[in-house]
Amino acid sequence: MPFLAPSFARLPPLAYLLADQTEPRKKISRHLGVSLRTLQRYQASGNAPRAVYLALWFESRWGMAALHAQALNEAQHARAWVGSLERECERLRGVIRALESAQGQAAANSAVFDAF
């Protein structure tokens, strides 16, 4: 699975990340493991450690959109893979039917095979 976190150059500014949060600043600071005063200093300076940026990014609309897009892509990929396996099973059933009809008699395991 690829890394979902953006490079530092592709992260939105700290002010945008903080403005995107709906929770109170005290709860955000607790989530980040810093004091409210530290979060206020980060906001005033417009700079924070990368871990803070990433934590806020994953909680923002940008991070959630990236996670949802990844989940959708994986679900579509899995469905396509299942579809290809179903088509392969049907092709192999056709091969078995053709071989059985060419032989003139049913296979020893035909009762088990026909149950599916």
Side-chain angles (χ1 to χ4, degrees), residues 65-103:
L67 292 174
H68 291 156
Q70 182 69 23
L72 177 66
N73 290 339
E74 288 179 6
Q76 289 175 335
H77 178 76
R79 180 61 191 119
W81 182 56
V82 167
S84 71
L85 292 175
E86 288 171 342
R87 288 188 299 276
E88 179 67 9
C89 286
E90 191 54 43
R91 185 190 70 78
L92 292 173
R93 284 187 183 106
V95 169
I96 291 171
R97 280 191 292 275
L99 291 173
E100 285 178 344
S101 66
Q103 185 181 9

Side-chain angles (χ1 to χ4, degrees), residues 16-73:
Y16 288 14
L17 291 172
L18 286 170
D20 197 53
Q21 305 304 314
T22 58
E23 297 293 331
R25 293 289 188 251
K26 185 149 182 78
K27 192 169 183 180
I28 294 170
S29 65
R30 208 171 327 129
H31 176 72
L32 295 172
V34 298
S35 68
L36 180 59
R37 181 66 188 123
T38 301
L39 183 61
Q40 290 168 343
R41 272 198 324 267
Y42 292 161
Q43 188 173 5
S45 70
N47 197 9
R50 180 165 167 76
V52 170
Y53 273 97
L54 291 177
L56 290 172
W57 183 80
F58 276 109
E59 295 292 330
S60 71
R61 73 182 92 177
W62 300 286
M64 296 305 279
L67 292 174
H68 291 156
Q70 182 69 23
L72 177 66
N73 290 339

